[in-house]
Amino acid sequence: MMLTAEQFVASHKSNIEILFGLTNKAFEGIEKLVELNVQATKAALSESSNHAQAIMGVKDAQELFALQAGLVQPLTEKTAAYSRHLYDIAQAANTEMGKSIEDQTAQAQKKIMSLVEDASQNAPAGSETAVAVLKSAVAAASTAFESMQKAVKQAGDMAESNFNSVSDSAVTAVKTASKKR
């Protein structure tokens, strides 16, 4: 069972297309991240300018403390929103790449099963046991890979849930602390 030159070239072409596809998806994520950071920087500069102007108009210490206290809650909410957006960008990129990898893995598994079937049909008499062992090993590897994919997805879902919970708790804690003042 040797690959022909055409199969070899087709395989490499497919692998290169996959590589470029994944690279493009990674760059899309990076572009979104850069855009988010540019927006956040512009907003921070504008808010800093406004805050500096507000400080210049302060008449006494009590007004200064009130001004400073009023910044904590919005800053915390903006930080939480930035973190959520950052997480969403990373999660979307991860999901897209994961789907691509899953698709490629499924295609590879089909090709392997096809090769095993072809080999079993062309196997010499008396090699039925070896073919059965080979088929069993391929099936076990496929099952193990699917189990690993499910575990990774569950871990990702749990991480997302924990992130959202911590983020919401932080914002709620700051709101509660701000109300007590």
Side-chain angles (χ1 to χ4, degrees):
M1 300 275 314
M2 295 189 46
L3 289 177
T4 66
E6 293 160 351
Q7 290 172 323
F8 184 75
V9 169
S11 174
H12 279 286
K13 181 180 176 185
S14 174
N15 289 339
I16 289 171
E17 288 172 359
I18 292 167
L19 176 64
F20 280 112
L22 290 174
T23 302
N24 285 333
K25 288 178 184 183
F27 275 116
E28 287 172 10
I30 291 169
E31 286 174 341
K32 289 176 184 177
L33 180 61
V34 168
E35 182 181 332
L36 174 65
N37 286 329
V38 167
Q39 290 172 352
T41 301
K42 284 181 180 180
L45 287 172
S46 176
E47 290 167 10
S48 294
S49 174
N50 292 340
H51 184 66
Q53 290 175 359
I55 288 176
M56 297 299 202
V58 170
K59 296 181 175 75
D60 60 21
Q62 187 175 7
E63 191 177 341
L64 178 63
F65 289 130
L67 181 64
Q68 293 294 75
L71 287 177
V72 173
Q73 182 178 345
L75 181 61
T76 302
E77 290 171 354
K78 288 174 186 169
T79 301
Y82 173 83
S83 296
R84 280 190 193 112
H85 201 145
L86 185 64
Y87 181 81
D88 289 345
I89 290 170
Q91 188 65 24
N94 185 38
T95 298
E96 285 185 40
M97 287 183 162
K99 286 179 184 176
S100 179
I101 291 170
E102 284 178 22
D103 290 346
Q104 297 309 314
T105 302
Q107 288 177 10
Q109 287 175 338
K110 286 179 186 176
K111 287 178 184 176
I112 290 171
M113 287 305 291
S114 176
L115 288 173
V116 169
E117 284 299 318
D118 288 348
S120 68
Q121 290 175 358
N122 297 322
S127 62
E128 292 83 12
T129 304
V131 170
V133 168
L134 181 60
K135 284 183 179 181
S136 177
V138 169
S142 292
T143 302
F145 184 76
E146 288 171 8
S147 295
M148 183 183 70
Q149 283 179 318
K150 287 178 185 176
V152 168
K153 181 169 178 8
Q154 288 174 344
D157 291 346
M158 186 182 302
E160 181 176 4
S161 176
N162 288 341
F163 175 80
N164 290 333
S165 177
V166 168
S167 180
D168 292 343
S169 295
V171 171
T172 302
V174 169
K175 285 182 180 179
T176 303
S178 294
K179 287 179 183 178
K180 290 181 180 180
R181 291 181 184 171

